[in-house]
Amino acid sequence: MIKIILNKCTGCTLCKKACPFGAIEIVNKKAVIDLSKCNLCGACVGSCKFDAIELKKEKKPAKKDLSLHKDVWVFCEQKKGVIQSIAFELLGEGKKLAKKLGVKLCAVILGSEIEPKIEELSARGADKIYIIDSPALKFYQDEPYTNVLVSLVEEYKPEILLCGATTIGRSLVSRVAIKIGAGLTADCTGLDIDEKEKLLLQTRPAFGGNIMATIITPNHRPQMATVRHKVMKEAEIHKSHKAEVIRKNYPDELLRSRTTLLDVVEEIEETVNLAEADIIVSGGRGVGGPENFSIIRELAKVLGAAVGASRSAVDAGWIPYSHQVGQTGKTVCPKLYIACGISGQIQHLIGMQSSKVIVAINKDPDAPIFKVATYGIVGNLFEVIPALTKEFQKILKK
């Protein structure tokens, strides 16, 4: 808090000259501080010869005992009782982190009738499994899931908490972070441990993907991060591995939600799931309109591929957002990625540049997509794609 002691202020302007933020004006021969500009740096206090400025800074809260926090936790997302593959990716990466820290890898799973999933998580390397099985948790809802995870964190105090950067993951852990007063790094593409300081190194794209920023959380626990799908390898399966199981039950009031779930409507799509696909055929602005995505879908169907899209195609309303690949869409890592009429803006490249083979089809020979492509075809996509579809039908006998 800062204030001017009016009976001492002479309006000499020394404080105004000293303020680096232009937060002080002289009005009627008295200094007036604009609190919207002032950042309490104290420069004005030192410049005042009349002790007319009083600055009181709030005492920093006592440091928490971070040594109480142990283990690496992975929130294992499930839908309709099926554990999502992002959970297995995080268990694989979490195992490496836990080994460097000398702690246990723990899986956390919420849902209804999910007891059979214990064996699956154990085989993926979890040393400890926290399971909360309740009919109220059958489908994801913000409030009950948040309340349960917050209660678990406060009771067992993990050192690290990882979650997939999915629709559910992003919604859940941001709420948890606020409630427990922890930091959160979103959309990480790399994780490591500073073995000297025992800190989680959280790497993510920044400034439109032009740099990779590594973020640390030295003063709060747990260290929390969401991780993009398909950027890490799944944990290997070892059926002989057995985990300790901790079953928790919570009162009904903790599981209540102010919203009522009426129905879950899944998008009907002929092709395979984008995030899980080994082959993806994507269309961009060069496709020209929503009706022309039919040739993209035909090629995808022949190849058994998923249909993707650039942000520009989604923003134009040609295809639903669920198909968007890129920094603001899904991160994919298929064996084959075919980019049709996509120029290759950096935000799109971030989402697909880890693909094993990239084939680019574009009429512009200078399109940025060709810089990351394994193979490039310069030509009219309305001629090239039907020709490819026809040839693959012959080869694959479809």
Side-chain angles (χ1 to χ4, degrees), residues 53 62 70 76 97 127 131 140-141 144 146 187 190 198 213 226 230 245 268 288 295 303 307 352 354 365 384 391:
I53 304 175
K70 298 289 183 187
C76 296
L97 303 177
D127 300 309
I131 181 168
Y140 173 76
Q141 286 186 283
T146 299
D187 293 335
K198 302 294 184 184
T226 61
K230 289 284 185 181
V245 179
I268 299 171
I295 64 170
L303 294 173
V307 173
M352 47 66 73
S354 297
V384 174
E391 199 61 33

Side-chain angles (χ1 to χ4, degrees), residues 229-292:
H229 191 24
K230 289 284 185 181
V231 297
M232 295 167 180
K233 291 184 179 179
E234 290 188 13
E236 294 180 358
I237 299 173
H238 298 285
K239 291 187 177 180
S240 60
H241 184 269
K242 298 298 176 187
E244 177 189 351
V245 179
I246 297 175
R247 295 173 177 84
K248 297 291 292 184
N249 294 304
Y250 290 98
D252 290 342
E253 56 265 24
L254 207 69
L255 304 179
R256 288 197 188 102
S257 176
R258 287 174 293 176
T259 59
T260 302
L261 183 65
L262 299 178
D263 195 8
V264 178
V265 181
E266 294 189 10
E267 184 180 347
I268 299 171
E269 184 63 48
E270 289 183 7
T271 52
V272 297
N273 184 292
L274 184 66
E276 308 294 336
D278 287 330
I279 303 173
I280 296 173
V281 183
S282 283
R285 187 171 288 278
V287 172
E291 68 282 355
N292 295 331

Side-chain angles (χ1 to χ4, degrees), residues 4 6-11 25-32:
I4 303 294
L6 295 177
N7 61 356
K8 289 185 178 183
C9 179
T10 64
E25 292 293 336
I26 305 300
V27 180
N28 296 327
K29 295 185 179 181
K30 299 292 180 182
V32 176

Side-chain angles (χ1 to χ4, degrees), residues 88-334:
F88 302 138
E89 294 171 28
L90 292 177
L91 287 171
E93 194 68 14
K95 195 71 172 178
K96 299 175 191 174
L97 303 177
K99 187 176 181 181
K100 288 184 178 181
L101 290 169
V103 298
K104 292 181 178 180
L105 172 65
C106 305
V108 180
I109 184 167
L110 284 63
S112 178
E113 299 180 5
I114 51 173
E115 280 282 332
K117 300 302 169 184
I118 290 174
E119 189 175 337
E120 192 173 353
L121 292 173
S122 182
R124 293 284 186 163
D127 300 309
K128 192 182 290 185
I129 299 170
Y130 296 91
I131 181 168
I132 301 86
D133 197 320
S134 168
L137 300 172
K138 184 175 182 178
F139 296 105
Y140 173 76
Q141 286 186 283
D142 293 327
E143 288 175 294
Y145 268 63
T146 299
N147 292 339
V148 168
L149 193 50
V150 166
S151 298
L152 280 170
V153 168
E154 289 177 340
E155 181 177 358
Y156 292 99
K157 295 180 171 54
E159 188 170 357
I160 292 170
L161 174 57
L162 305 177
C163 187
T166 61
T167 303
I168 288 175
R170 288 168 173 157
S171 175
L172 174 62
V173 292
S174 56
R175 287 173 165 83
V176 172
I178 288 292
K179 289 207 168 191
I180 63 177
L184 170 63
T185 304
D187 293 335
C188 292
T189 56
L191 299 172
D192 204 351
I193 296 293
D194 180 334
E195 296 189 48
K196 182 180 178 182
E197 300 294 332
K198 302 294 184 184
L199 291 174
L200 178 65
L201 304 175
Q202 304 154 87
T203 302
R204 71 179 306 277
F207 295 104
N210 291 311
I211 65 167
M212 299 300 287
T214 298
I215 298 166
I216 58 172
T217 312
N219 301 319
H220 298 84
R221 294 293 181 274
Q223 300 163 88
M224 297 177 65
T226 61
V227 180
R228 291 192 170 211
H229 191 24
K230 289 284 185 181
V231 297
M232 295 167 180
K233 291 184 179 179
E234 290 188 13
E236 294 180 358
I237 299 173
H238 298 285
K239 291 187 177 180
S240 60
H241 184 269
K242 298 298 176 187
E244 177 189 351
V245 179
I246 297 175
R247 295 173 177 84
K248 297 291 292 184
N249 294 304
Y250 290 98
D252 290 342
E253 56 265 24
L254 207 69
L255 304 179
R256 288 197 188 102
S257 176
R258 287 174 293 176
T259 59
T260 302
L261 183 65
L262 299 178
D263 195 8
V264 178
V265 181
E266 294 189 10
E267 184 180 347
I268 299 171
E269 184 63 48
E270 289 183 7
T271 52
V272 297
N273 184 292
L274 184 66
E276 308 294 336
D278 287 330
I279 303 173
I280 296 173
V281 183
S282 283
R285 187 171 288 278
V287 172
E291 68 282 355
N292 295 331
F293 262 88
S294 59
I295 64 170
I296 303 292
R297 289 190 174 91
E298 285 172 20
L299 178 56
K301 194 171 182 180
V302 169
L303 294 173
V307 173
S310 68
R311 178 176 176 174
S312 58
V314 172
D315 287 349
W318 298 348
I319 191 167
Y321 169 74
S322 56
H323 293 267
Q324 185 173 316
V325 174
Q327 187 176 14
T328 53
K330 289 185 172 70
T331 300
V332 296
C333 186

